[in-house]
Amino acid sequence: AAASVLERLREQQGSTPRDLGLRFRIALLPSRSEAALAQLWQAGADVLCHPGLGLLYAGFGLPEAEDRDALAAVLRCVDGVVAAAAGAVVLEAAPAWAKRGRDVFGDLAGALPLARRLKRLFDPAGLLNPGRYAGYL
């Protein structure tokens, strides 16, 4: 592809719809991309899909500042897509109020002990962004 096309894809991957937008990175098996993509589109997301990598970047705009009902609807949608695809999600971009009380790394389930070990290995004194890593570590 032309360099301009690749640059536009990079821009889209890092963009967030409007100032009030949310951007999620969803990792899943490539075979589950099609169903996840359809659900996200139906919910009104702008989606960039890398099916070979099993990655979806989903952007949602929120209608107004601190619209908690709209936020809850988006989070339910994304959580449902991730659960159905047995995938993982990271909330990459969101207004500060939308991140409050939510682990932006999603549900780690059985991987939390591994995340704890990694945190202890690379940050033994617990100085780097305490409480902001996966599982609020």
Side-chain angles (χ1 to χ4, degrees):
S4 61
V5 171
L6 294 175
E7 186 58 34
R8 177 66 187 117
L9 285 173
R10 283 189 197 98
E11 287 172 14
Q12 184 178 358
Q13 180 175 316
S15 69
T16 302
R18 302 189 299 276
D19 292 337
L20 302 173
L22 308 166
R23 184 181 67 244
F24 298 88
R25 182 181 68 225
I26 301 170
L28 40 71
L29 290 172
S31 62
R32 297 183 177 165
S33 295
E34 185 177 0
L37 184 61
Q39 287 177 293
L40 292 166
W41 275 341
Q42 185 176 9
D46 295 328
V47 183
L48 176 62
C49 180
H50 297 282
L53 300 174
L55 288 175
L56 299 173
Y57 292 85
F60 290 86
L62 296 175
E64 57 188 61
E66 298 203 36
D67 186 338
R68 300 209 179 270
D69 291 336
L71 173 64
V74 168
L75 295 175
R76 275 193 308 275
C77 169
V78 171
D79 289 345
V81 166
V82 171
V89 64
V90 174
L91 176 56
E92 290 190 331
W97 66 267
K99 292 189 278 187
R100 246 179 253 122
R102 179 169 175 86
D103 188 348
V104 297
F105 291 95
D107 181 17
L108 294 180
L112 187 57
L114 175 62
R116 281 192 184 107
R117 285 194 302 268
L118 286 171
K119 176 75 171 168
R120 271 195 307 272
L121 178 66
F122 291 104
D123 183 20
L127 301 175
L128 303 174
N129 292 322
R132 298 196 62 194
Y133 182 55
Y136 297 107
L137 300 176

